[in-house]
Amino acid sequence: MVGPPRYKLADTAQQIVGGFLLAGPFVVTEEVWTLARGMTRVHALATAVLVAVIGYGALYQADDDRDPDSEAEVAGLPLRFLSLISVAFGSVALLAILLNAPASFLQGESLFEQFEITLRVVSVGAIFSVVGAATADSVF
């Protein structure tokens, strides 16, 4: 009998590929930066919660082979889920920094405003990045 799939470093590598693949277009799209300007902190927080719900559902509700209770945990959360969330938010943030997107799209804003809007962009981009990351983790 074969047990449930165990989390391995290769799973994170797959998540990274999927996460970056879908994060890229949102980091360089002016409409996303404009949308983020109009968001409040509550919108950003709600979006971040949505990312977690989508990620958890994609990993454990859509895939019957995975059991979150049988996986390695950190602070009571499955390691695979924590990796997924880190990749979803991290890939968007890293691309924004590497491409110097805040300076390009937020000219005239103070550094603090650039930082705050960039966090909102990360929350929006992570919605799509988490789908790519979870899909890659499940398919490969």
Side-chain angles (χ1 to χ4, degrees):
M1 177 178 201
V2 177
R6 295 278 180 203
Y7 172 79
K8 299 179 203 123
L9 188 58
D11 295 319
T12 296
Q14 294 163 356
Q15 291 172 355
I16 290 170
V17 169
F20 272 92
L21 185 67
L22 290 186
F26 296 95
V27 172
V28 297
T29 303
E30 185 174 6
E31 289 83 358
V32 173
W33 291 87
T34 302
L35 175 72
R37 270 191 169 132
M39 291 172 65
T40 66
R41 290 177 181 167
V42 172
H43 291 116
L45 180 61
T47 306
V49 169
L50 179 64
V51 170
V53 169
I54 290 170
Y56 192 87
L59 287 179
Y60 302 112
Q61 302 301 314
D63 191 343
D64 294 334
D65 293 337
R66 290 204 183 112
D67 178 15
D69 296 327
S70 67
E71 292 192 3
E73 294 181 350
V74 175
L77 296 170
L79 188 56
R80 180 184 303 271
F81 173 70
L82 291 174
S83 171
L84 181 77
I85 295 304
S86 297
V87 166
F89 288 101
S91 60
V92 180
L94 184 60
L95 282 173
I97 292 166
L98 289 175
L99 299 172
N100 200 26
S104 298
F105 292 112
L106 302 175
Q107 293 175 353
E109 302 282 354
S110 71
L111 283 177
F112 179 76
E113 289 169 331
Q114 284 186 15
F115 177 73
E116 200 167 27
I117 294 168
T118 300
L119 289 179
R120 292 184 218 142
V121 167
V122 168
S123 72
V124 171
I127 295 171
F128 304 95
S129 181
V130 76
V131 171
T135 301
D137 187 12
S138 296
V139 171
F140 298 111

